[in-house]
Amino acid sequence: MFLGIDVGTQSVKALLYDAQRRQVVDVQSAAVDLISKADGTREQLAAWWLAALGACLAAFNRSDRSRVVAISVAGQQHGLVPLAADGRVLAPVKLWCDTSTLAECKEITEAFGGEARCIAEVGNPILPGYTASKIRWLKKHRPGDYAQLATILLPHDYLNFYLTGERVMECGDASGTGLLDIRCRAWHIGMLAAVDAERDMGQLLPPLAESGAAIGQLRVDVAAELGLPAGIPVASGGGDNMMAAIGTGNVSAGRLTVSLGTSGTLFTSADQPVVDPEGALAAFCSSTGGWLPLLCTMNCTVSTELTRRLLALDIDALEHHAAAPAGAQVMTLPFFNGERSPNLPTGKACITGLDENNYSRENCCARRWSPLSMACAGSRRTARTVLRCRILRLTGGGAGSATWRQMVADIFNVPVSMQTVDEGAALGAALQAAWMSQGARGGAVALQQLVDAQLALDPARSCEPRAESVAAYDEHYRSYLRHVQTVGALYGA
């Protein structure tokens, strides 16, 4: 039995996977709160993740827990977990969707020599979601905590630290900090100095672990708390997108994953670094030794959930209203958390084109479902990548919606394949643990071979693009671009 953990924005999930039977035995989830402020602050307490993990494990059958032989952790990317020398978390964790560090992004970019140089030398611009600006923010706004800072970790790294006592980072997740030269998988000295020229930042960053390797063993006291066998190995884990790539079989070129979670992401595996000179496509490393070019929108299921709560709709009712044809003139720009694609960190959500004749639940619900797809269509380089990928897998909470599945097929004009299990990140973590375990026993196989053998498809939920809808979305996209240009003028940084 392999345990995959996913530290998300809305919840922590734990998944038990039986590799011999190729079956998910159990999945448990526990909600976590969010600290949200008008200035763009989005934070969580690291202690909330540990409490949620404990609740998930307590809900598992005791005998199943006793059979776990290895663990791997996925986690939301970019969050800053500042640790003191004694292991205390010094401050609330600023998350990937925190946009309060816009000033620090500009300062770091200017100190480094401009955005073009950031992309040329590191692979990515310094965006508000990335970890780099959060470090500088901590120095400016919480100097006492910054003075005690001994180690910089990401959310999944912190869970690894809790489980093993080891302070390490892994290249896939590390590539989302803005501090890693993604081409050579090493911290960029010049970027570290741009964040803080007065302190040796290299001393605060943990060593980089090999993808898929064991980073330590489960501590005896934590094993007792969670009801797991002490001493079992913990894999390096990775960012949620990197683990979702494994969990959807996307570990070699030619495959595409669309993840519909709180944020929406699109990514594909690559054998070489993929750097977008315009910075629209994130140049990340994978957690499998390769690279994972990725496009992210900060508003995906967060938009549908806010709408569902506002209109007091259950999931089935939301699906019904959203599936209804929307008025041609109605456009939704669901930039509730600001936005990364397009880059509008101070953007706000808008619905345009409403009048007394079309102000309906259907028009308030419809087209909140397509921000990820529209954002992806907005990157020409991403569009070319999509055209090369003929296998498209969906994952994340939104993948459970038939409306969203069909919309993705229509917008990308590519058939959508669904797996029998949608838990991409947690399942990917469990499969990484199995890969690590197999290698440790001397039976190493190619990861693509392992995931292809383990992952089953669900033809009943797969779908083909519809020609008439493909054409309609082309027109919708042109309208979307005009609206984004207008909103950019209203809410640009």
Side-chain angles (χ1 to χ4, degrees):
M1 197 83 75
F2 298 96
L3 173 61
I5 299 166
D6 179 20
V7 184
T9 314
Q10 299 182 65
S11 65
V12 171
K13 292 182 180 178
L15 177 148
L16 289 175
Y17 188 74
D18 187 325
Q20 289 184 340
R21 291 189 291 163
R22 301 180 183 181
Q23 180 180 342
V24 174
V25 174
D26 199 356
V27 181
Q28 295 293 334
S29 176
V32 289
D33 205 351
L34 179 68
I35 300 167
S36 179
K37 299 179 183 178
D39 66 352
T41 294
R42 301 291 186 275
E43 297 174 339
Q44 287 176 335
L45 301 185
W48 294 348
W49 303 335
L50 303 187
L53 176 62
C56 290
L57 269 292
F60 285 145
N61 181 283
R62 182 175 296 180
S63 64
D64 288 337
R65 281 182 283 165
S66 70
R67 294 171 52 210
V68 172
V69 297
I71 304 171
S72 180
V73 181
Q76 50 177 299
Q77 291 189 254
H78 313 314
L80 171 61
V81 186
L83 285 194
D86 62 3
R88 288 178 298 113
V89 179
L90 293 166
V93 179
K94 296 188 84 63
L95 304 183
W96 61 273
C97 49
D98 187 295
T99 59
S100 66
T101 63
L102 189 58
E104 288 75 22
C105 289
K106 293 179 178 178
E107 292 166 4
I108 295 170
T109 300
E110 290 173 3
F112 193 76
E115 182 175 288
R117 188 181 176 205
C118 291
I119 295 171
E121 293 200 16
V122 184
N124 291 295
I126 299 300
L127 299 177
Y130 292 180
T131 318
S133 63
K134 298 174 173 66
I135 301 168
R136 192 176 180 94
W137 184 96
L138 187 72
K139 178 182 178 180
K140 289 168 61 177
H141 296 275
R142 302 182 71 115
D145 293 331
Y146 189 74
Q148 298 182 68
L149 180 62
T151 309
I152 293 166
L153 294 180
L154 300 168
H156 111 265
D157 302 325
Y158 179 70
L159 263 290
N160 279 347
F161 171 69
Y162 165 71
L163 295 171
T164 68
E166 301 292 336
R167 306 184 192 210
V168 296
M169 208 176 275
E170 171 275 334
C171 289
D173 213 2
S175 63
T177 62
L179 305 172
L180 191 79
D181 182 340
I182 62 99
R183 296 177 181 86
C184 62
R185 285 178 160 81
W187 302 116
H188 193 287
I189 302 302
M191 186 57 75
L192 300 185
V195 173
D196 186 355
E198 300 173 349
R199 189 170 183 179
D200 183 358
M201 295 290 297
Q203 297 296 315
L204 304 179
L205 291 162
L208 293 166
E210 182 181 347
S211 296
I215 57 102
Q217 297 179 325
L218 183 62
R219 294 162 42 197
V220 173
D221 56 337
V222 175
E225 290 176 11
L226 301 179
L228 295 170
I232 58 176
V234 177
S236 60
D240 50 2
N241 293 302
M242 291 74 193
M243 292 295 100
I246 297 174
T248 55
N250 186 353
V251 295
S252 59
R255 304 186 181 212
L256 182 72
T257 297
V258 174
S259 177
L260 306 175
T262 305
S263 66
T265 54
L266 176 150
F267 45 86
T268 185
S269 294
D271 299 327
Q272 301 292 329
V274 178
V275 176
D276 178 3
E278 298 175 3
L281 198 62
F284 290 161
C285 300
S286 71
S287 293
T288 58
W291 286 266
L292 197 76
L294 177 148
L295 190 140
C296 173
T297 177
M298 296 177 74
N299 301 274
C300 200
T301 60
V302 64
S303 174
T304 55
E305 281 301 294
L306 287 170
T307 301
R308 188 174 69 83
R309 291 201 295 267
L310 177 66
L311 300 179
L313 301 173
D314 60 22
I315 296 294
D316 290 340
L318 179 69
E319 179 90 359
H320 170 75
H321 289 308
Q329 74 275 34
V330 176
M331 174 67 66
T332 299
L333 301 178
F335 303 156
F336 292 96
N337 287 321
E339 190 48 81
R340 184 180 299 174
S341 301
N343 187 23
L344 294 172
T346 58
K348 303 295 181 184
C350 307
I351 305 177
T352 67
L354 294 176
D355 58 34
E356 63 179 339
N357 297 312
N358 65 15
Y359 186 39
S360 65
R361 286 190 171 194
E362 286 77 10
N363 277 332
C364 286
C365 292
R367 292 190 176 148
R368 291 177 180 278
W369 305 71
S370 59
L372 169 65
S373 304
M374 292 295 99
C376 293
S379 170
R380 292 182 180 180
R381 286 174 176 77
T382 301
R384 287 202 292 270
T385 300
V386 171
L387 292 174
R388 289 200 300 268
C389 297
R390 307 312 301 171
I391 299 175
L392 192 158
R393 300 268 175 92
L394 281 185
T395 188
S401 164
T403 298
W404 219 331
R405 294 196 297 270
Q406 187 62 59
M407 181 176 290
V408 170
D410 294 342
I411 289 175
F412 291 125
N413 196 18
V414 173
V416 166
S417 298
M418 294 297 298
Q419 296 174 184
T420 54
V421 179
D422 294 335
E423 302 292 348
L427 177 59
L431 291 175
Q432 190 199 58
W435 184 44
M436 172 196 68
S437 181
Q438 195 170 57
R441 296 196 307 269
V445 298
L447 183 56
Q448 188 69 69
Q449 180 182 345
L450 184 147
V451 297
D452 285 345
Q454 294 289 337
L455 299 175
L457 296 181
D458 183 359
R461 295 192 301 153
S462 300
C463 54
E464 297 284 332
R466 303 168 299 187
E468 67 279 8
S469 296
V470 171
Y473 276 118
D474 285 343
E475 175 58 34
H476 179 58
Y477 173 61
R478 288 189 285 272
S479 176
Y480 169 83
L481 287 181
R482 293 192 297 270
H483 282 76
V484 166
Q485 186 175 17
T486 300
V487 170
L490 287 173
Y491 299 116

